[in-house]
Amino acid sequence: MFEYYRVENLINEPSSFWLSLLVAFLGTGLGFLGAYYLTKVAERKQNERDKYIKQDLYNDRLVYMSQLIETCVDIIKKQIGKFEKLSAEIEKVPTEQHLLELIASNDLLRLQKMDTEEVFHAYHSIIPDSQEKIADYKNIYSSIDFLYMELKQSIDSVDKQVNFVYRDQLYIKDKIESLSTEIIKWIKDIEVKEGNYASLPEYHFLTSFHDVYQKLIDEKAQLGKIESNFLLPFGVELAKTYSRAPFFNDLHTLATQAGIRFNHVRLNATEFAKQLKGIRKRIETSLEKLEKINDKIKTTTSIIKQTPRP
C-alpha cells in the first residue's frame, strides 16, 4: 500500500514528474526574484520622489528668501530716496522740524529673522558648488545684518534730530517771547516817564520792531522768518544805535541768547543733512553685493522649477 513512497519508486518515476518539480521550483524562484526586483524598483522610485520633494522644499525656501531680498532691496532704495529728500528739506529750512517719510514694510525684519539653519541646508543643497559659494552665503547674512542695522540707526538718528530741534525751538521761542515781553516793558516805561515819547527815536525803534514781531506771530510765521525779519535786524540796530540806552543790556542779552541757539540749530542741521546724504554711499556696496548673489539664486531656483519631475 505504501510502495508509492519508497525511494526506489521515486527514482523510477517518469521524467515528467521531475520536470514539473523543476518548473515549480523555477517558478517560485522567479516569482521571488520578480517580487524582489519590483520592490527595489518601487523603493528606488520612492527614494527618487523623496529626493525631488526635498529638493523642491529647499528650492521653495530659497525662492521665498530671494523674493524677500528683492523686495527689501527695492524698499531700501526707495527709503534712501526719502532720506535724501529729507536732507534737501533740512538744507533749505534748517531751523524747522522735518519728519522722515517711512516706507512701510517688515520684509527686512522677516529676512533677518529667517531660520538660518533651514536656509543653510537649502542653500548648500540647491546652489551648485563654485569658488564663490561659501563666500556668497556668508555675504548674504553679513549684508542683510549691515543693511538692517544701518537703516535702523539712520531712522533712529532722524528721531533724535527731531527731538533736538524741538528742544532748541522751545528754547528759542522762550527767549524771543521774553524779548517781546521786555520790549513791551521798556515801551511802557518810556510812555510813563516821557511826556513827548512818540517823537523819541528809541520809542519808535522799540514799537516798530515789536509791531513786526507781532505781525509775524499773527501770521504764524516759521522761526526762520522770525529770525530774519525780526531778531537779526533788531539785534543789529540795537547794537549799532542804542548800545548806551538803558534797555540795551536786557534786550541784547535775550536777543544774543536766541541768536546763538539759532546758529546752533543751523550748524547741527547742516551737518545732519550731510550725514543723510552719505547713507547711499555707506550701503551701496552691500546692496550691490546682495543683488549680485540674489541673481545667482534666482537663476538656479528658476532652472530647478522648470526641471520635469518623475
Side-chain angles (χ1 to χ4, degrees):
M1 171 176 185
F2 296 103
E3 282 189 13
Y4 181 81
Y5 295 101
R6 292 176 60 182
V7 175
E8 56 269 25
N9 290 339
L10 289 174
I11 293 174
N12 293 324
E13 280 292 316
S15 60
S16 60
F17 168 78
W18 294 107
L19 184 60
S20 299
L21 188 61
L22 178 61
V23 169
F25 276 123
L26 286 173
T28 303
L30 289 174
F32 173 78
L33 290 174
Y36 179 79
Y37 173 77
L38 291 175
T39 300
K40 287 300 180 182
V41 169
E43 287 180 357
R44 188 170 65 250
K45 287 184 177 180
Q46 185 61 48
N47 290 337
E48 193 75 9
R49 283 194 292 269
D50 290 344
K51 184 186 77 173
Y52 281 117
I53 289 172
K54 189 173 185 180
Q55 186 184 56
D56 288 342
L57 179 62
Y58 282 156
N59 197 63
D60 289 343
R61 285 174 184 165
L62 287 189
V63 168
Y64 176 64
M65 184 180 74
S66 176
Q67 290 171 345
L68 279 180
I69 290 174
E70 194 167 1
T71 302
C72 290
V73 168
D74 183 60
I75 289 170
I76 291 170
K77 288 181 177 179
K78 288 179 180 178
Q79 191 63 64
I80 291 173
K82 301 301 181 183
F83 281 122
E84 291 172 339
K85 179 184 176 184
L86 178 63
S87 175
E89 291 173 352
I90 291 174
E91 287 182 330
K92 187 177 180 180
V93 190
T95 55
E96 292 301 314
Q97 280 191 10
H98 301 277
L99 302 179
L100 174 66
E101 183 180 348
L102 292 174
I103 307 296
S105 174
N106 289 320
D107 283 344
L108 190 56
L109 184 60
R110 292 191 188 99
L111 183 59
Q112 196 200 33
K113 290 189 173 182
M114 281 190 72
D115 190 321
T116 54
E117 184 177 352
E118 288 187 356
V119 173
F120 175 84
H121 291 304
Y123 181 86
H124 286 279
S125 174
I126 298 299
I127 303 301
D129 290 333
S130 67
Q131 291 181 344
E132 300 87 11
K133 181 175 180 178
I134 301 300
D136 283 351
Y137 178 78
K138 292 179 180 178
N139 283 329
I140 290 172
Y141 280 98
S142 63
S143 298
I144 290 170
D145 289 343
F146 174 78
L147 292 169
Y148 177 81
M149 290 304 300
E150 184 67 28
L151 203 61
K152 185 177 183 302
Q153 288 175 359
S154 297
I155 293 172
D156 289 344
S157 67
V158 172
D159 290 339
K160 290 178 182 178
Q161 176 68 11
V162 168
N163 291 330
F164 291 154
V165 172
Y166 178 71
R167 180 200 62 191
D168 289 336
Q169 284 180 328
L170 288 179
Y171 178 89
I172 290 170
K173 287 176 182 178
D174 178 67
K175 293 302 177 183
I176 292 178
E177 287 172 3
S178 297
L179 177 61
S180 169
T181 301
E182 197 67 21
I183 290 173
I184 292 173
K185 188 190 81 171
W186 282 102
I187 289 173
K188 291 181 178 179
D189 186 71
I190 292 173
E191 289 174 347
V192 170
K193 292 181 179 179
E194 304 291 340
N196 192 23
Y197 58 83
S199 61
L200 294 176
E202 56 267 31
Y203 182 79
H204 176 71
F205 164 70
L206 294 175
T207 55
S208 61
F209 268 106
H210 194 268
D211 288 344
V212 170
Y213 171 72
Q214 192 57 53
K215 184 179 178 181
L216 291 169
I217 294 300
D218 291 342
E219 66 184 39
K220 298 180 180 179
Q222 293 183 332
L223 278 179
K225 189 173 182 180
I226 294 175
E227 180 194 27
S228 60
N229 290 15
F230 166 68
L231 186 66
L232 290 178
F234 176 81
V236 170
E237 185 66 19
L238 179 67
K240 180 181 178 181
T241 308
Y242 300 100
S243 59
R244 295 182 180 276
F247 51 72
F248 175 79
N249 286 336
D250 292 341
L251 301 185
H252 183 263
T253 297
L254 291 169
T256 300
Q257 288 174 338
I260 290 173
R261 189 57 64 93
F262 262 120
N263 289 334
H264 171 79
V265 172
R266 191 175 289 103
L267 288 172
N268 282 349
T270 302
E271 183 59 33
F272 186 65
K274 290 179 182 177
Q275 292 177 18
L276 293 177
K277 282 183 178 179
I279 293 174
R280 183 181 295 275
K281 187 175 181 179
R282 290 197 298 273
I283 70 174
E284 61 184 356
T285 300
S286 293
L287 273 178
E288 290 171 1
K289 192 182 297 182
L290 197 56
E291 284 183 299
K292 185 177 179 181
I293 297 170
N294 197 40
D295 286 341
K296 296 179 184 179
I297 295 174
K298 285 195 294 184
T299 299
T300 303
T301 54
S302 176
I303 292 172
I304 292 176
K305 277 284 186 184
Q306 297 171 9
T307 302
R309 292 293 184 259

